[in-house]
Amino acid sequence: MIESERHRAILSAVQARPVATVAELVELTQASEATVRRDIATLHMQKKVRRVRGGVESLAPPQFVGLSGRPFEMNATRQIAEKRAIAQAAVELCADGDAIIINGGTTTFQMVHPLANRRCLVFTNSFPIAEHLLKQSKNTVMLAGGTIYREQNIVLSPFENDVTKNFAARRMFLGAQGVSRLGVMEQDPLIIQAETKLIGQADEVVLMVDSTKFRNRSSLILCPLDRIGTLITDDRITDADAAMVEAAGPRLVVASPRRGRAEIPAAG
């Protein structure tokens, strides 16, 4: 990411929430801590942000606080071939007539292309997924209600009495910020709250993560790995990470953008 792109990303981050830490901006921009600190100093001198201890804050804090994490558009072009292969493997689990939940994200978004040939009942909280399926497929689409988060292009509701509890799905497909032996990780408490409700409405949870997510960490755990029925990733997963998944219980599916799809059954 070049300097101007990093500056736009930092400004976007502080527009969405009052304060962004250096660690959050390092993850957001994929730059070094030293580079991020130089960017903050430059933007501070330009009077575009205010430098604070450990991070940066907006000169005019937003009245509406956004979500933590990288914006949808910034994530959309990362590991794109791997995401497409993962999405193809995910759609192979679907049959016409299935009721499914597709959570918002750039990996799950790639399901829209192979889903064009299916006729499923799709519940989603993602505007891009809903829009594409409505225009380019015969699937029936239900969109979640709640607050719109522009940066992530998703709709989340903090309330218990939303439409989520009235939808029963065969499978839920979701991405994640990171994966470790502790479980599936996300960055924002509101995402955790919303996804926890959705997980409870599905017979099986399918986790879709490219292999870089096994190196990502967050302070928030969405669920343990044994809650996941199937984990789909790409062929750059390490032997150690594959063994961790197998030991935890999910069926591991390895999707290769180069050689087709291979499946590794869970141990036991």
Side-chain angles (χ1 to χ4, degrees):
M1 188 180 294
I2 64 175
E3 182 181 63
S4 60
E5 292 175 330
R6 295 196 308 272
H7 287 186
R8 285 196 296 271
I10 292 170
L11 291 173
S12 176
V14 297
Q15 286 168 3
R17 53 192 185 277
V19 178
T21 67
V22 170
E24 289 172 342
L25 296 175
V26 166
E27 199 282 328
L28 178 68
T29 62
Q30 297 294 290
S32 68
E33 181 176 328
T35 297
V36 167
R37 289 188 182 278
R38 285 196 299 271
D39 289 337
I40 291 173
T42 298
L43 293 170
H44 176 80
M45 291 296 294
Q46 294 174 350
K47 300 187 183 302
K48 293 181 178 179
V49 298
R50 182 181 296 108
R51 183 170 52 186
V52 296
R53 182 179 179 85
V56 62
E57 69 178 3
S58 172
L59 295 177
Q63 294 180 330
F64 176 77
V65 178
L67 300 174
S68 300
R70 189 183 291 119
F72 181 92
E73 295 300 330
M74 191 175 293
N75 264 338
T77 56
R78 295 173 182 268
Q79 286 79 43
I80 187 64
E82 288 79 6
K83 290 176 180 179
R84 287 172 177 165
I86 291 167
Q88 180 63 52
V91 173
E92 289 175 9
L93 300 175
C94 303
D96 287 350
D98 280 356
I100 61 176
I101 297 170
I102 306 179
N103 203 55
T106 56
T107 304
T108 52
F109 173 76
Q110 291 301 323
M111 291 179 68
V112 299
H113 307 296
L115 270 175
N117 298 316
R118 295 285 198 275
R119 291 176 177 266
C120 297
L121 176 57
V122 180
F123 182 93
T124 185
N125 60 4
S126 164
F127 273 116
I129 290 174
E131 180 182 27
H132 195 282
L133 290 179
L134 284 170
K135 291 180 178 179
Q136 306 293 336
S137 81
K138 298 297 184 181
N139 295 279
T140 300
V141 180
M142 294 180 63
L143 190 62
T147 301
I148 301 168
Y149 292 85
R150 292 181 177 85
E151 292 290 307
Q152 286 76 20
N153 278 331
I154 59 175
V155 184
L156 299 177
S157 172
F159 305 111
E160 291 296 329
N161 59 339
D162 58 22
V163 69
T164 300
K165 67 179 182 179
N166 299 116
F167 191 85
R170 174 70 186 87
R171 290 184 177 88
M172 175 185 176
F173 298 90
L174 79 157
Q177 168 65 25
V179 182
S180 78
R181 62 178 181 81
L182 297 175
V184 181
M185 297 179 171
E186 274 296 352
Q187 280 192 307
D188 194 279
L190 189 55
I191 292 178
I192 294 282
Q193 182 181 3
E195 290 185 348
T196 298
K197 289 191 293 184
L198 289 170
I199 286 172
Q201 301 303 116
D203 294 335
E204 180 187 10
V205 179
V206 180
L207 181 64
M208 302 165 59
V209 286
D210 68 76
S211 55
T212 66
K213 296 301 179 68
F214 289 92
R215 299 192 294 272
N216 288 355
R217 293 294 180 268
S218 175
S219 60
L220 299 177
I221 304 295
L222 169 62
C223 67
L225 279 179
D226 62 11
R227 181 63 182 86
I228 304 301
T230 300
L231 188 152
I232 309 176
T233 189
D234 63 78
D235 59 359
R236 288 191 171 91
I237 185 174
T238 66
D239 291 342
D241 289 332
M244 176 192 71
V245 173
E246 291 176 337
R251 179 168 66 106
L252 178 62
V253 175
V254 177
S256 170
R258 292 159 290 278
R259 297 188 303 273
R261 181 165 68 89
E263 181 177 319
I264 304 174

